[in-house]
């Protein structure tokens, strides 16, 4: 147990190197984008990025997820066959998607041809970047995987700063910066991860492709459904309320998503650890139960701290023309919390290679999200989108928590779960008051809460970092 925990903590910090910098860069560049773009322009920009969330799973058929999982347990000979076959297969897929996406953007959406090409290259580059990144992870190069993300984030930030000082900030130029950054990062993955050595010739092993697709295809409905839950709000807002309010809603998600970003670091390491535990160990039930309890308490404590800081962060990072976004933040914090729980269960499903089971809950949540938005968005405005996010992710988390016990006997501490949810709800209500004294008091309470509930976790992490501490109580 201790060895697995040590590896999990180590991988979390390594992967955190690559995950945190992009989030910091996003915060640094957010004032640039919100200052240089109008609410309507920012809404359109966010809409294009949102569409990427559904385009990428379809363009790759989620083969990159299968590559990562299969490489974890593959021999050197099979590794070469997997990478060769996958790369050739994906090249064919991209060739098929090229006229389809360009046709949709140019003829259906009526975007100019030059802009269409830019958007298409963003999607292609993002797909290749994701595939190569998961391949590097599967080969065991977590540190190099993180460095590739750092390269992308750093170059993208430099590019945005340059176009800002040249007074050339536009949606097109922002995407050009992304394309250049993706290309450089992909080049790093190819050579630093030595992927090029595995790509010996253009070759497809039909049995390997079948194996990859059997694993990957069931993930597509889940990915698309979770995209609907997570991001389709932007489309409903754009259709019913306009691009300006979509820009407001997009900005409202920025600070709550910081918690999701922090959790995503852990979840990357958790997915790998969960898979190795499932492959090699017999005490998976006990380990998963312990990890759920640790994750739930630590996630709750981190969320409480972020909520208490959010009014100050909002004032520093967000331009005043987006001030209406603050009222959506308390609800979105709860939605992000349930999203993290969903991701935790997703890691266990990946470990069990039960990807088909993931889709059912995601589809139900997506349908519920769409229904709530269509029925209530005209009456409740942006609040309908925020509430639909909470309800959808809560339903998915509850379903997965019950359904997964068919495979893993996870034990839940109901008292701890209820206390954490109650604390989060109270903090979100108080956050909406935007009172400085109240926010400081919330921060103090959050520190005390973490000291009581997460002291063992915090001290364990400090010891791993070489900081000598002693548990007094």
């Amino acid at each position: 147990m201790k060895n697995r925990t040590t590896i999990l903590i180590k991988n979390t910090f390594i992967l955190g190197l690559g995950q945190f910098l992009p989030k910091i860069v996003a915060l640094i560049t957010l004032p640039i984008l919100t200052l240089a773009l109008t609410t309507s322009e920012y809404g359109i920009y966010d809409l294009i990025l949102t569409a990427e969330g559904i385009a990428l799973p379809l363009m790759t058929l989620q083969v990159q997820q299968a590559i990562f999982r299969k490489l974890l347990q593959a021999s050197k000979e099979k590794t070469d066959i997997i990478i060769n076959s996958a790369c050739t297969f994906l090249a064919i897929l991209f060739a098929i998607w090229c006229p389809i996406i360009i046709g949709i953007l140019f003829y259906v959406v009526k975007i100019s041809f030059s802009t269409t090409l830019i958007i298409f290259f963003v999607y292609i580059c993002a797909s290749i970047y994701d595939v190569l990144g998961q391949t590097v992870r599967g080969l065991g190069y977590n540190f190099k995987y993180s460095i590739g993300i750092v390269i992308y984030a750093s170059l993208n930030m430099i590019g945005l700063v340059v176009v800002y000082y040249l007074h050339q900030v536009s949606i097109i130029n922002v995407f050009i910066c992304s394309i250049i950054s993706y290309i450089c990062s992909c080049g790093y993955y190819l050579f630093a991860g030595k992927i090029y050595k595995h790509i010996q010739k253009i070759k497809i092993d039909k049995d390997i492709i079948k194996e990859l697709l059997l694993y990957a295809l069931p993930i597509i409905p889940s990915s698309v459904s979770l995209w609907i839950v997570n991001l389709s709000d932007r489309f409903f807002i754009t259709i019913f309320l306009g691009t300006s309010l979509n820009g407001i809603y997009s900005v409202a998600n920025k600070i709550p998503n910081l918690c999701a970003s922090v959790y995503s670091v852990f979840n990357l390491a958790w997915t790998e650890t969960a898979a190795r535990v499932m492959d090699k160990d017999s005490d998976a039930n006990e380990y998963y139960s312990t990890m759920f309890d640790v994750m739930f308490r630590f996630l709750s404590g981190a969320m409480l701290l972020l909520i208490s800081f959010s009014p100050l962060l909002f004032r520093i990072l967000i331009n005043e023309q987006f001030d209406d976004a603050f009222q959506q933040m308390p609800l979105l914090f709860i939605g992000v919390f349930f999203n993290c729980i969903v991701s935790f269960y997703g890691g266990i499903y990946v470990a069990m290679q039960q990807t088909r089971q993931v889709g059912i809950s995601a589809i139900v949540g997506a349908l519920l999200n769409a229904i709530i938005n269509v029925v209530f968005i005209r009456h409740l405005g942006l609040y309908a989108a925020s509430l639909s996010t909470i309800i959808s992710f809560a339903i998915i988390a509850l379903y997965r928590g019950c359904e997964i016990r068919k495979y893993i006997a996870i034990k839940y501490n109901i008292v701890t779960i209820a206390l954490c949810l109650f604390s989060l709800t109270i903090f979100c209500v108080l956050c909406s008051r935007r009172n400085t004294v109240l926010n400081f008091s919330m921060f103090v309470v959050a520190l005390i809460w973490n000291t009581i509930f997460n002291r063992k976790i915090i001290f364990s992490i400090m010891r791993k970092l070489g900081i000598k501490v002693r548990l007094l109580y």
Side-chain angles (χ1 to χ4, degrees):
M1 176 78 76
K2 288 184 178 180
N3 184 49
R4 291 194 298 252
T5 303
T6 300
I7 294 173
L8 178 59
I9 293 174
K10 177 183 176 181
N11 283 339
T12 299
F13 278 105
I14 290 174
L15 294 170
L17 171 67
Q19 297 298 311
F20 279 128
L21 184 62
K23 310 310 174 186
I24 294 172
V25 168
L27 288 176
I28 293 173
T29 56
L30 182 60
I32 293 176
L33 295 176
T34 56
L35 180 64
L37 302 177
T38 65
T39 56
S40 180
E41 288 173 333
Y42 193 90
I44 295 171
Y45 163 74
D46 181 72
L47 203 59
I48 295 171
L49 289 182
T50 300
E52 183 181 307
I54 193 173
L56 266 58
L58 296 177
M59 290 172 65
T60 63
L61 297 184
Q62 291 293 54
V63 168
Q64 70 271 28
Q65 301 298 328
I67 294 172
F68 164 69
R69 184 63 181 93
K70 299 301 181 181
L71 286 179
L72 286 178
Q73 54 187 180
S75 63
K76 184 183 184 303
E77 181 181 351
K78 191 172 182 180
T79 294
D80 292 343
I81 298 173
I82 290 174
I83 295 177
N84 271 280
S85 299
C87 288
T88 306
F89 179 70
L90 287 167
I92 295 171
L93 277 182
F94 293 155
I96 294 172
W97 276 108
C98 178
I100 295 174
I101 293 178
I102 291 177
I104 291 173
L105 292 174
F106 184 65
Y107 291 105
V108 179
V109 186
K110 303 295 183 183
I111 298 176
S112 68
F113 189 71
S114 59
T115 303
T116 293
L117 287 179
I118 292 294
I119 296 173
F120 173 74
F121 278 118
V122 169
Y123 291 174
I124 283 290
C125 290
S127 298
I128 297 173
Y129 169 78
D130 193 16
V131 170
L132 294 178
Q134 293 305 317
T135 303
V136 168
R137 280 190 67 207
L139 292 172
Y141 300 127
N142 282 333
F143 183 74
K144 293 178 181 179
Y145 169 74
S146 293
I147 294 298
I149 299 175
V150 170
I151 290 172
Y152 167 78
S154 301
L155 292 178
N156 194 42
M157 179 183 67
I158 293 171
L160 289 176
V161 171
V162 169
V163 297
Y164 176 75
Y165 279 104
L166 293 177
H167 304 287
Q168 297 296 321
V169 178
S170 66
I171 294 175
I172 295 300
N173 287 340
V174 169
F175 283 134
I176 290 175
C177 290
S178 292
I179 291 172
I180 295 172
S181 304
Y182 277 134
I183 291 173
C184 293
S185 187
C186 287
Y188 172 81
Y189 281 145
L190 276 172
F191 291 98
K194 300 179 181 178
I195 298 176
Y196 69 93
K197 290 187 177 181
H198 297 281
I199 306 175
Q200 299 166 350
K201 56 184 177 180
I202 298 176
K203 180 181 178 181
I204 287 186
D205 185 308
K206 293 182 180 179
D207 291 333
I208 290 295
I209 292 300
K210 182 179 179 180
E211 185 180 339
L212 294 176
L213 289 178
L214 283 174
Y215 181 93
L217 289 179
I219 301 178
I220 296 176
S222 173
S223 299
V224 173
S225 298
L226 287 178
W227 170 86
I228 292 174
V229 176
N230 213 352
L231 299 170
S232 67
D233 296 335
R234 320 290 175 86
F235 284 98
F236 286 113
I237 291 170
T238 300
I239 293 170
F240 292 107
L241 304 177
T243 55
S244 291
L245 284 180
N246 181 54
I248 296 293
Y249 186 76
S250 173
V251 169
N253 277 274
K254 294 299 182 182
I255 295 177
N257 278 338
L258 283 175
C259 193
S261 300
V262 172
Y263 178 79
S264 68
V265 176
F266 166 80
N267 204 59
L268 280 173
W270 163 244
T271 301
E272 181 176 337
T273 301
R276 296 188 186 280
V277 169
M278 185 62 66
D279 289 341
K280 298 179 180 180
D281 296 294
S282 58
D283 62 339
N285 291 340
E286 179 184 351
Y287 182 69
Y288 289 151
S289 298
T290 300
M291 286 308 303
F292 178 85
D293 183 65
V294 169
M295 177 277 303
F296 200 92
R297 287 186 283 113
F298 195 77
L299 178 63
S300 301
M303 183 75 80
L304 293 177
L305 286 171
L306 181 58
I307 292 172
S308 64
F309 266 118
S310 60
L312 177 61
L313 290 174
F314 189 90
R315 191 180 307 162
I316 294 172
L317 299 172
I318 311 299
N319 187 271
E320 61 181 11
Q321 67 173 325
F322 292 88
D323 192 66
D324 290 343
F326 187 88
Q327 298 306 318
Q328 303 303 315
M329 280 175 43
L331 293 174
L332 293 172
F333 275 116
I334 302 297
V336 165
F337 180 81
F338 284 119
N339 186 9
C340 293
I341 304 300
V342 168
S343 297
F344 178 86
Y345 287 130
I348 299 178
Y349 277 119
V350 168
M352 297 186 299
Q353 302 194 49
Q354 294 289 336
T355 52
R356 186 176 302 175
Q357 307 299 328
V358 179
I360 299 174
S361 59
I363 291 171
V364 171
L367 291 173
L368 187 60
N369 178 273
I371 291 170
I372 293 173
N373 274 305
V374 171
V375 174
F376 294 105
I377 200 165
R378 289 187 182 277
H379 306 288
L380 299 179
L382 294 182
Y383 287 103
S386 301
L387 288 171
S388 69
T389 299
I390 294 175
I391 295 171
S392 300
F393 278 123
I395 293 296
I396 297 173
L398 182 62
Y399 176 88
R400 288 188 179 181
C402 296
E403 201 271 342
I404 210 166
R405 297 187 74 179
K406 295 177 182 177
Y407 311 95
I408 300 293
I410 295 181
K411 298 177 182 178
Y412 299 106
N413 189 326
I414 303 301
V415 174
T416 299
I417 291 173
L419 183 59
C420 290
L421 292 177
F422 177 76
S423 301
L424 285 170
T425 303
I426 295 298
F427 263 57
C428 288
V429 171
L430 296 178
C431 172
S432 62
R433 306 293 293 271
R434 303 181 80 169
N435 182 290
T436 303
V437 175
L438 189 59
N439 292 331
F440 180 76
S441 301
M442 290 165 58
F443 173 69
V444 173
V445 171
L447 286 178
I448 296 172
W449 196 99
N450 278 281
T451 301
I452 295 173
F453 285 91
N454 291 320
R455 62 188 184 279
K456 292 183 179 179
I457 307 171
I458 295 170
F459 288 169
S460 176
I461 293 174
M462 292 173 69
R463 291 191 192 101
K464 299 299 180 186
L465 293 174
I467 303 173
K468 295 182 178 181
V469 292
R470 185 164 59 92
L471 195 61
L472 298 177
Y473 54 93

